[in-house]
Amino acid sequence: MDGTLAVIWLITSLTDMGLNECPIGCTRLQDAPSRLSLQAANVIFQEDEIGQEIYLGYDAPYRYGPFHVTYGASVTDDGAAWIGAGAKWTTRNLSDKPFFIESSFMPGLYTQGDGPDLGGALHFRAAIGAGYVFGNGATLTVSYDHRSNGDTQDINPGLETLAIRYAISLD
């Protein structure tokens, strides 16, 4: 997997910004639902499932245009860890149904532990997911993500996760 998920995030969020945000201020600061999330994932390295990961996330109570500020940290069962911050885009104007699609891009730091050598500490994590919003604001999302160093190092094999995430609304 290359930078395809990062490109999806860029296209979806910038298209939404152009169509829906720019008439009122492209990156205007706005309120957004804050959420705390817990995610369980299978870790995939070079097409082989190599373990599991637990991810804790926080979506801030604000966004800049379509860019919802998000933070995350994860650890795998082999001691590899990642921590980062970035932006998430979520469908808001496509449907009044409780289903949504989201994409995200988060630069962060990776430590290998007993996990695979991904080539350095700086890693970019991009994801795409589909989910459901419950009446109380909680969400359930299935997602796929890819992280790599974006060819900033000589070694760049990348790592993927296939996950399910439950998030509670803090509002």
Side-chain angles (χ1 to χ4, degrees):
M1 175 60 70
D2 53 17
T4 302
L5 294 179
V7 170
I8 290 171
W9 171 80
L10 188 64
I11 291 170
T12 56
S13 59
L14 291 179
T15 300
D16 185 30
M17 182 173 71
L19 294 174
N20 299 302
E21 304 294 336
C22 285
I24 57 173
C26 295
T27 56
R28 180 175 59 102
L29 180 64
Q30 301 172 59
D31 291 336
S34 61
R35 291 192 174 90
L36 184 63
S37 62
L38 184 62
Q39 172 176 300
N42 287 334
V43 179
I44 303 160
F45 179 67
Q46 298 187 346
E47 300 182 13
D48 292 324
E49 185 179 317
I50 62 167
Q52 283 74 46
E53 176 187 72
I54 296 293
Y55 176 100
L56 181 65
Y58 173 70
D59 295 341
Y62 53 88
R63 63 184 172 93
Y64 294 94
F67 305 105
H68 195 158
V69 177
T70 188
Y71 305 90
S74 67
V75 64
T76 65
D77 55 358
D78 59 9
W82 179 89
I83 186 168
K88 182 185 290 185
W89 170 83
T90 305
T91 54
R92 290 186 318 276
N93 300 313
L94 297 180
S95 170
D96 61 354
K97 307 281 187 230
F99 298 98
F100 63 90
I101 296 171
E102 68 181 20
S103 60
S104 63
F105 180 75
M106 301 173 68
L109 298 174
Y110 172 79
T111 182
Q112 182 177 342
D114 290 331
D117 181 1
L118 300 180
L122 176 64
H123 277 78
F124 305 95
R125 190 170 190 158
I128 188 163
Y132 181 86
V133 179
F134 296 96
N136 63 0
T139 62
L140 185 64
T141 308
V142 174
S143 69
Y144 175 79
D145 81 26
H146 170 78
R147 78 192 82 157
S148 75
N149 62 41
D151 288 326
T152 61
Q153 304 293 316
D154 292 334
I155 298 172
N156 186 28
L159 187 75
E160 286 81 31
T161 62
L162 183 57
I164 187 161
R165 177 177 58 242
Y166 182 74
I168 58 169
S169 176
L170 300 177
D171 298 331

